[in-house]
Every structure is written in C-alpha cells, then in structure tokens.
Amino acid sequence: MNIDFSDKVVLVTGASAGIGESTALLFAALGAKLSLVGRNEGKLRAVAAACHKLRGLQPLPIVADLGTDEGVQKTAKETLDHFGRLDVLVNNAAIGALTSLQPLDMKTFDEVFRIDVRGVYQLTGLLVPALIESKGNIVNISSIVATMVNVGSLPYSMAKAALDHFTRIVALELAPKGVRVNAVSPGITVSDFIKRITDQTEEQYREWLGQYSKNIPMGEPCLGDDIAKMVVHIASEHSRLVTGTIVEVDGGLRFTPIAGSR
Ligand SMILES: NC(=O)c1ccc[n+]([C@@H]2O[C@H](COP(=O)([O-])OP(=O)(O)OC[C@H]3O[C@@H](n4cnc5c(N)ncnc54)[C@H](OP(=O)(O)O)[C@@H]3O)[C@@H](O)[C@H]2O)c1
C-alpha cells in the first residue's frame, strides 16, 4: 500500500527548518495540502516554495510565535479559514536550552515551557474539533531526553516528558472520537537545534557530531528525513490502529546510559 495524502490537510509547526522542514517536504511529495508555521518568514517562505515545486500545491505559510496566545490562535484560525478542515497536526516546533537546577533560571524555564508545552496544549485544543470532524490524527515530536536521565538540559527534558504524557492521555481522551495521537521521539538529529543551544560554529558542530556518533549504537545521527519518514508512516492509514505510542528514532542511543561511556 502506497502512502498518499492527496486531499488531506496537514499542519506542521516549526516547518521553517530542520525536522519540520523535512516533514513538510515529505508530506508535500505525498500530495498533502500544507499549513506551515514558524517565526522566520524568509525561511518559512523558502520551505513553502520548495514544497510547491514538488507537486504544484501551494502551502499556506503562517508566520506566528507559538509561545503566545495570539500566535497559536492565528495559526488555528488561518489554517481552518484557508482549508476548511484539518487531517493531521504535527506539533514539532520547540526550543531547547542548556539549563539545570543550579543556577536557577526561571526565564529559560518559562520560555521552554511556553513554547514546548503550553503552545502544544493550546494549539491542539483549538484544533481538536476539526480533527474529530475529519477523524484525523496528531503526531507530537518529542525527544529521547524525555526518558533518558541526563544532567544538563532540565526544563527541556521535563517539557518533553510532559509532551510524552500529554500524548498518552490525549490519545485515550480522543480514541472514542476516532482521533489518533502519537509521538515520534528523535535521538540526535542533524539540524541547527544543538548547534544553537551549545553556541557552536558549523565546524565545531560537525566535529562534535563525529565524536558523539561513537555513543550511538548504530554509529550515526539521524537526518531530518529519518524522522519525517516515521511521522508520515504514523500519520498514514498504515498506522490506523496505532495510538498513544511513542516511537523512538534514535539509532539505539536511548540505551546508552552515560554519554561517552563506550
Ligand atoms: N535536533 C535534534 O537533535 C533533536 C533531538 C530530539 C528532538 N528534537 C525535537 O525535534 C523538533 C524539531 O527540532 P529541530 O532539530 O528541527 O530544531 P530546529 O532546526 O531548531 O527547528 C525548530 C523549528 O521550530 C520553530 N520554532 C521554534 N520556536 C518557535 C515558536 N515560538 N513559534 C513557532 N515556531 C517555532 C523554528 O522556527 P523559527 O525559528 O522560524 O521560529 C524551527 O522551524 C523539536 O521538537 C525538538 O525538540 C530535536
């Protein structure tokens, strides 16, 4: 059975870069009508143009900050006004931060939770009626740090643990309405995400990736497309009875107890 999203409307948050960009491109290649969200208008429009080239369908780019009520409301309203329906919601947008308990950093904690947890809760809540109508589904992008016990990124790890439990509980709440809810949990994935939070140059990042890959049982980091392929698989009819699951795509990294121990 081929995967086909023709006539399906898919909303991808954080589509202006990284995993969200790869996911948008793959859905576009599979015929989906896309609503794409990010704050960087130039990058978002470039991704929309690349999606358009694939099958000739014009995505709807929405410039919005999902850490604000206005940004979330704008995203939900513009998507439904434009397409009149929604079949798949991919909650991908997130920020990370290298923050632990000492020193206490409430500004970073609030920022991470505002975007990574509050924004997801609010956007999903606003779009649930449309997903019930279409018997659609939700794919949340989590992280293996939600379950690995590593010191160094505490609010972000807590936020992703919250997202995992959100996934399970909302899956149970919406199952009787015919809506599936799942998460894909990436390991180290090549994008600007880690480079940004560690303040590395491209060269330092590539060097770090090479070194870190020795800790990954499969020996290499994920690419955005590796995550995107799992997202479309879960969002498709291939997974019609899959709900409340969290699927790791990490080359086995979650089994490495202490980074650098191999
Ligand atoms: N890369 C990894 O190693 C890794 C590992 C595990 C999990 N993840 C998860 O994978 C997802 C994507 O990460 P990535 O690696 O692709 O990161 P990325 O390259 O930094 O992309 C993040 C995306 O989220 C958007 N975004 C961030 N804050 C936003 C906000 N307030 N409002 C709207 N959009 C916002 C960004 O767009 P703008 O900048 O245009 O706003 C960008 O499109 C995240 O949920 C992350 O936690 C990543």
Side-chain angles (χ1 to χ4, degrees):
M1 183 167 73
N2 288 331
I3 296 184
D4 180 19
F5 280 92
S6 301
D7 298 325
K8 301 283 185 199
V9 177
V10 179
L11 166 54
V12 181
T13 71
S16 56
I19 292 169
E21 174 178 358
S22 300
T23 303
L25 286 165
L26 189 50
F27 272 116
L30 297 170
K33 294 175 186 162
L34 286 166
S35 181
L36 306 176
V37 190
R39 293 166 301 183
N40 185 316
E41 184 168 3
K43 285 190 182 177
L44 194 64
R45 290 199 180 280
V47 174
C51 289
H52 180 224
K53 261 192 186 162
L54 289 167
R55 296 275 294 261
L57 293 164
Q58 189 67 63
L60 174 70
I62 302 174
V63 179
D65 181 350
L66 295 171
T68 66
D69 285 355
E70 307 76 60
V72 171
Q73 286 157 1
K74 175 183 175 185
T75 298
K77 184 175 184 319
E78 288 191 4
T79 299
L80 296 179
D81 283 354
H82 187 79
F83 292 111
R85 64 179 286 141
L86 182 67
D87 297 279
V88 180
L89 167 62
V90 182
N91 284 312
N92 166 74
I95 59 162
L98 289 185
T99 313
S100 218
L101 189 60
Q102 301 172 89
L104 199 58
D105 181 353
M106 293 315 296
K107 186 170 176 287
T108 301
F109 181 94
D110 287 343
E111 202 182 349
V112 168
F113 267 70
R114 201 166 47 243
I115 297 169
D116 300 9
V117 180
R118 191 180 189 279
V120 172
Y121 174 81
Q122 191 178 20
L123 184 65
T124 305
L126 290 177
L127 290 170
V128 149
L131 291 166
I132 292 173
E133 180 93 25
S134 66
K135 301 250 181 290
N137 72 89
I138 301 166
V139 184
N140 298 318
I141 306 302
S142 184
S143 167
I144 57 165
V145 302
T147 50
M148 288 179 82
V149 184
N150 279 334
V151 175
S153 200
L154 181 60
Y156 175 68
S157 303
M158 290 166 70
K160 291 301 189 183
L163 185 64
D164 281 4
H165 216 43
F166 173 82
T167 302
R168 297 183 194 99
I169 294 173
V170 178
L172 202 55
E173 182 176 337
L174 297 182
K177 310 261 166 77
V179 175
R180 301 185 296 109
V181 186
N182 294 288
V184 174
S185 200
I188 299 296
T189 306
V190 180
S191 76
D192 285 346
F193 191 85
I194 291 170
K195 195 169 71 180
R196 187 181 313 110
I197 61 178
T198 53
D199 205 17
Q200 289 173 319
T201 63
E202 182 64 28
E203 199 183 342
Q204 289 167 329
Y205 176 62
R206 293 283 155 186
E207 167 75 21
W208 175 86
L209 266 182
Q211 285 300 322
Y212 200 90
S213 293
K214 294 176 188 158
N215 300 312
I216 302 172
M218 294 294 287
E220 55 178 304
C222 301
L223 302 177
D225 203 43
D226 296 314
I227 311 304
K229 282 175 178 153
M230 184 56 76
V231 173
V232 301
H233 177 71
I234 286 186
S236 77
E237 273 300 293
H238 283 256
S239 305
R240 68 179 197 92
L241 290 179
V242 176
T243 197
T245 61
I246 292 153
V247 182
E248 292 96 352
V249 181
D250 67 344
L253 180 61
R254 68 193 177 285
F255 297 124
T256 310
I258 300 167
S261 65
R262 286 178 69 210

